Amino acid sequence: MSTFKALIASKGEAGTSVAFSEFAEADLMEGDVTVRVTHSTLNYKDGLAITGRAPVVRRWPMIPGIDFAGRVETSEHPGFKPGDLVILNGWGTGETHLGAYAQKSRVKGDWLVPLPDGMTPAEAMAIGTAGYTAMLSLLALERYDVKPADGPVVVTGAAGGVGSVATALLAKAGWHVIASTGRPEEADYLKGLGAAEIIDRNELSAPGRPLGKERWIAGVDAVGSHTLANVLSMTKYGGAVAACGLAQGMDLPASVAPFILRSVALLGIDSVMCPKPRRLEAWQRLASDLDRDKLAAMTTTIPLEDVVETGRALLDGKVRGRVVVEIG
């Protein structure tokens, strides 16, 4: 396959544009492993890259797509051989390094993790960066030693990709999950994933007080801005909030009150440059802890040809759960 199908993002005077094209294998970027990509996914960041609504892409032209699963074709890396099934999340893929919305990718082997035993490439991308980030958030809360017996946990943006997986994982771990969403019609969906309570995002999304009534001991926030500020202000004494997203905004209009009066911790979650040992831990935990039936219930599968339209719908809040992209 000297050429293959790829989605190419370009930047011109009129702004960002995307189009499918044939791409030459010889034009792939440097790396010691070439992967035949079988599946990718659609994360919030991918939607931003496809639409150009935020400066995610920093190299032009670019093949978007921040994560993939596939089979190794060639390898000069000691950890991988042809035929191995692998996963990639982050490391600038789809931002500064040619990404996943293509039939092939050449990357550094150090960026890859093996597909866990018993997991299919499609399931890995149903999890994707969103689900892997949700697990990193759970692991951070566990390291901070907050427990289900200490009180409830709130999940913001609960019907989205990170929120859906976080809700399922936290419920499986025994937490009383309070799911915050702006889509009340998704209440049954969220309860099916394990949410015990549903609250309207309007309770959290407007400017709030420095300290609110204590409502939960922990949180997983994929929203940022006023929502994160309010989550912090309502966290119980000694609690912790894992911050992993910015759907509402990058700002944090909060005060120091929750930190110095209630000893609340803000735990930052980065999935892009996360060290490999922690990645391996997260993927092994996902393989063992995530209910595959619940994963299937939150997943929609689309062909690569539909990724642009679906990416726009995702940013408009019209997509719930996870989206697997079959590369073909």
Side-chain angles (χ1 to χ4, degrees):
M1 191 187 293
S2 57
T3 65
F4 51 88
K5 184 169 69 174
L7 179 67
I8 310 296
S10 303
K11 188 174 184 180
E13 293 183 2
T16 301
S17 63
V18 288
F20 288 100
S21 178
E22 289 296 308
F23 194 88
E25 185 171 351
D27 292 334
L28 286 171
M29 297 176 71
E30 290 186 4
D32 51 10
V33 180
T34 300
V35 178
R36 175 69 168 87
V37 179
T38 61
H39 298 81
S40 185
T41 183
L42 187 63
N43 300 287
Y44 192 82
K45 184 183 283 187
D46 295 316
L48 293 173
I50 289 168
T51 61
R53 293 190 195 178
V56 170
V57 175
R58 299 191 296 278
R59 175 197 184 275
W60 304 96
M62 173 55 66
I63 299 174
I66 65 172
D67 46 9
F68 64 70
R71 190 177 298 275
V72 173
E73 283 197 345
T74 64
S75 174
E76 298 175 357
H77 188 280
F80 299 98
K81 63 184 184 303
D84 287 347
L85 292 170
V86 294
I87 302 168
L88 181 138
N89 303 102
W91 296 115
T93 307
E95 302 176 63
T96 58
H97 193 94
L98 294 175
Y101 294 153
Q103 292 175 304
K104 286 195 179 188
S105 182
R106 184 179 297 129
V107 297
K108 294 181 180 179
D110 288 344
W111 295 353
L112 300 170
V113 298
L115 184 75
D117 291 341
M119 182 181 291
T120 68
E123 287 174 331
M125 288 300 99
I127 295 167
T129 290
Y132 149 69
T133 301
M135 178 54 82
L136 290 176
S137 300
L138 174 56
L139 291 172
L141 293 174
E142 290 178 350
R143 286 194 300 274
Y144 195 75
D145 204 29
V146 287
K147 302 180 179 67
D150 299 331
V153 61
V154 64
V155 176
T156 64
V162 174
S164 291
V165 181
T167 297
L169 288 170
L170 289 161
K172 178 77 177 295
W175 285 89
H176 179 101
V177 179
I178 301 172
S180 168
T181 181
R183 293 179 266 176
E185 68 275 11
E186 302 292 7
D188 288 343
Y189 163 75
L190 290 167
K191 289 177 181 177
L193 297 180
E197 296 180 51
I198 313 294
I199 62 173
D200 193 295
R201 72 179 175 197
N202 290 332
E203 294 187 35
L204 302 174
S205 60
R209 299 185 299 174
L211 279 180
K213 180 182 178 181
E214 294 177 89
R215 297 177 65 176
W216 36 72
I217 192 67
V220 174
D221 175 67
V223 178
S225 193
H226 291 291
T227 297
L228 176 55
N230 284 314
V231 167
L232 289 165
S233 79
M234 299 179 193
T235 300
K236 295 183 177 185
Y237 190 94
V241 177
C244 59
L246 44 71
Q248 187 178 9
M250 290 187 67
D251 60 324
L252 181 56
S255 78
V256 298
F259 309 116
I260 65 173
L261 298 179
R262 290 186 181 160
S263 193
V264 170
L266 178 58
L267 310 176
I269 307 300
D270 167 59
S271 65
V272 177
M273 305 303 290
C274 180
K276 192 164 183 177
R278 192 158 292 172
R279 289 172 182 265
L280 292 168
E281 179 187 10
W283 278 104
Q284 289 303 320
R285 282 285 299 274
L286 285 160
S288 63
D289 292 10
L290 184 58
D291 186 308
R292 303 297 172 85
D293 290 335
K294 290 184 178 178
L295 180 63
M298 70 176 79
T299 301
T300 303
T301 301
I302 64 170
L304 179 58
E305 290 77 10
D306 290 351
V307 75
V308 175
E309 179 183 355
T310 309
R312 292 177 180 137
L314 186 150
L315 295 191
D316 291 338
K318 297 177 181 177
V319 175
R320 78 176 185 190
R322 302 290 299 125
V323 177
V324 172
V325 182
E326 289 185 334
I327 300 299

